[in-house]
């Protein structure tokens, strides 16, 4: 089985350029492309080494998540950036949790593990 998220990344105030204008974005709209970029860099190195691209990552993430992540052990997502809070939400904890998955990706470790697969 699996849960979501699988991993986490900082997702606050990323600068993006759209139509020549600079904006700041936050949330999964910011953090998901960062992880996708990491995967693209790993795939480029795998292809250069004569290996296939990674394809579906989830089995490898769940086999190696502890080895390439920085565990996030505190925090919650029941409040929005606007300081509006809800009664429901998820909390970070030691190990995998429903707020940050395995935690923040350590790119060097992620790269080394996933290129070696």
């Amino acid at each position: 089985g699996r849960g979501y998220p699988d991993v986490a990344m900082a997702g606050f105030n990323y600068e993006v350029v759209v139509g020549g204008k600079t904006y700041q974005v936050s949330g999964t709209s910011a953090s998901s492309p960062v992880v996708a970029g990491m995967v693209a860099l790993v795939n480029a190195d795998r292809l250069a080494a004569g290996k296939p691209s990674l394809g579906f990552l989830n089995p490898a993430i769940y086999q190696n998540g502890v080895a390439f992540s920085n565990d996030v052990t505190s925090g919650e997502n029941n409040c929005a950036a606007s300081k509006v809070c809800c009664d429901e939400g998820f909390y970070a904890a030691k190990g995998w949790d429903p707020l940050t998955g395995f935690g923040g990706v350590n790119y060097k470790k992620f790269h080394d593990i996933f290129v070696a697969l």
Side-chain angles (χ1 to χ4, degrees):
R2 68 171 284 248
Y4 63 88
D6 303 308
V7 296
M9 290 301 297
F12 185 68
N13 284 346
Y14 280 76
E15 284 192 0
V16 297
V17 178
V18 178
K21 295 183 180 180
T22 303
Y23 300 92
Q24 289 186 331
V25 298
S26 298
T28 54
S29 299
S31 56
S32 294
V34 171
V35 175
M38 291 177 177
V39 172
L41 291 170
V42 168
N43 276 335
D45 286 349
R46 287 179 57 83
L47 293 172
K51 296 180 176 183
S53 62
L54 291 169
F56 184 60
L57 293 176
N58 290 63
I61 287 173
Y62 279 78
Q63 289 172 351
N64 299 288
V66 173
F68 69 75
S69 63
N70 298 314
D71 194 10
V72 178
T73 59
S74 65
E76 68 277 334
N77 71 347
N78 63 321
C79 294
S82 64
K83 305 293 186 210
V84 173
C85 295
C86 302
D87 293 334
E88 303 295 323
F90 294 111
Y91 295 85
K94 186 171 174 47
W96 187 93
D97 60 68
L99 181 62
T100 64
F102 286 104
V105 177
N106 177 315
Y107 176 71
K108 170 108 175 75
K109 292 177 181 178
F110 179 83
H111 175 272
D112 293 348
I113 290 168
F114 281 75
V115 168
L117 293 177

